[in-house]
Amino acid sequence: MTKEDDQVLSGSDHPVAGAACLPEHVAIIMDGNGRWANMRGLPLLAGHRAGAEAVQRTVTVAIKRGVKWLTLYAFSSENWRRTPGEVADLTGLLRFYLRHKVAELSREGVRLRIIGDLTRFPPDIQEEARRAEQVTMGNDRLVLVLALSYGGRADIVQAAARMAQAVARGDIAADEIDESLFASALLTAGMPDPDLVVRTSGESRLSNFLLWQSAYAELVFLDTPWPDFDEAHFDTVLEIYSRRERRFGARPA
């Protein structure tokens, strides 16, 4: 973060960015559930449950602030390497929220979209996820994208494979492939690229999240663990974003 960003974070108030500089798409790497639980002497599951509550708060404030797309890194492709007990806890929470919270999201005008390799989840979770996408399809107040068993490198590889197959079939010529066509083969096809990527809990890396899509995103890293992320933190990152000059590779005027 820049010195200016540090000043915003250390301020006593949390001003909200104006509509003119509001990011259309905010993506969040939700890190720190385990640290949050450890600091309180609680089991890891308590941290994940508190993190799920932070998700609900974040969706609410995103709607209030007028953000149109919110992507949450809910379960990375690397998370499968965690202990069987933690994976079971995470998938159990996912199952609960898909079964019991989707109707509430729909009433708020939220459309749910899921990206990632759902085939690695149990069949009932796959079914619940597709059902949730279907029942919320007509909503347009906020698109909530859950990245589940998602990896940025795998996303790029599968897109490259799709392009190669299209060339082999004769559907396109190799020299017709440009950035726009390639992006249409990514799991995020039809989505705007994230304007702002936020990571909580003190780490300063993307961890294989939306690697292609984040090429020109503004990055903000917070020390706050994800379960403590609230409306004030959301407003802080919006304010930080509003102070950034987005150049997309061009020189300043």
Side-chain angles (χ1 to χ4, degrees):
M1 270 185 293
T2 66
K3 183 176 181 181
E4 182 182 36
D5 293 344
D6 287 333
Q7 290 171 348
V8 173
L9 283 171
S10 62
S12 58
D13 58 344
H14 299 271
V16 180
C21 53
L22 188 74
E24 179 185 19
H25 183 178
V26 177
I28 304 178
I29 302 170
M30 306 179 295
D31 192 18
N33 292 349
R35 293 185 186 94
W36 183 92
N38 287 336
M39 286 188 298
R40 289 160 176 78
L42 298 172
L44 185 55
L45 179 57
H48 290 314
R49 286 175 173 166
E53 293 172 0
V55 168
Q56 295 181 77
R57 291 195 301 270
T58 303
V59 170
T60 298
V61 71
I63 293 171
K64 288 170 62 177
R65 297 295 178 260
V67 172
K68 303 305 293 183
W69 293 78
L70 177 65
T71 298
L72 302 178
Y73 204 9
F75 194 101
S76 75
S77 53
E78 289 76 20
N79 284 161
W80 294 108
R81 302 174 188 168
R82 297 188 178 184
T83 65
E86 185 174 0
V87 170
D89 288 343
L90 288 168
T91 54
L93 276 173
L94 175 60
R95 180 182 289 110
F96 174 84
Y97 277 88
L98 287 173
R99 287 180 178 175
H100 300 289
K101 297 296 182 178
V102 170
E104 180 180 333
L105 288 174
S106 191
R107 286 194 296 270
E108 293 295 322
V110 176
R111 177 184 175 184
L112 188 65
R113 177 167 171 175
I114 295 171
I115 58 172
D117 182 10
L118 277 179
T119 63
R120 299 191 69 178
F121 288 98
D124 67 311
I125 289 182
Q126 296 179 45
E127 183 178 347
E128 292 289 349
R130 296 310 177 199
R131 181 192 64 81
E133 288 185 307
Q134 185 65 35
V135 301
T136 62
M137 187 173 294
N139 299 330
D140 60 5
R141 196 174 182 189
L142 171 73
V143 182
L144 173 61
V145 184
L146 295 183
L148 297 172
S149 191
Y150 175 85
R153 287 182 173 180
D155 192 6
I156 294 169
V157 167
Q158 67 83 30
R162 290 178 66 182
M163 290 289 97
Q165 291 162 3
V167 171
R169 290 193 303 267
D171 296 339
I172 57 173
D175 59 7
E176 293 178 314
I177 300 174
D178 57 13
E179 290 186 12
S180 178
L181 186 60
F182 189 85
S184 72
L186 293 166
L187 297 176
T188 52
M191 292 171 48
D193 287 343
D195 302 295
L196 172 63
V197 175
V198 178
R199 181 167 186 157
T200 59
S201 203
E203 302 292 350
S204 301
R205 55 180 177 268
L206 289 177
S207 293
N208 204 19
F209 180 52
L210 298 179
L211 299 180
W212 171 283
Q213 299 86 342
S214 298
Y216 288 104
E218 297 297 322
L219 308 179
V220 174
F221 303 104
L222 302 180
D223 290 333
T224 306
W226 174 248
D228 287 336
F229 191 86
D230 59 16
E231 183 170 350
H233 293 102
F234 199 98
D235 286 344
T236 291
V237 298
L238 293 183
E239 174 64 14
I240 291 172
Y241 175 84
S242 75
R243 294 174 180 234
R244 301 279 179 89
E245 181 182 356
R246 306 194 74 201
R247 300 174 185 170
F248 300 96
R251 293 187 182 276

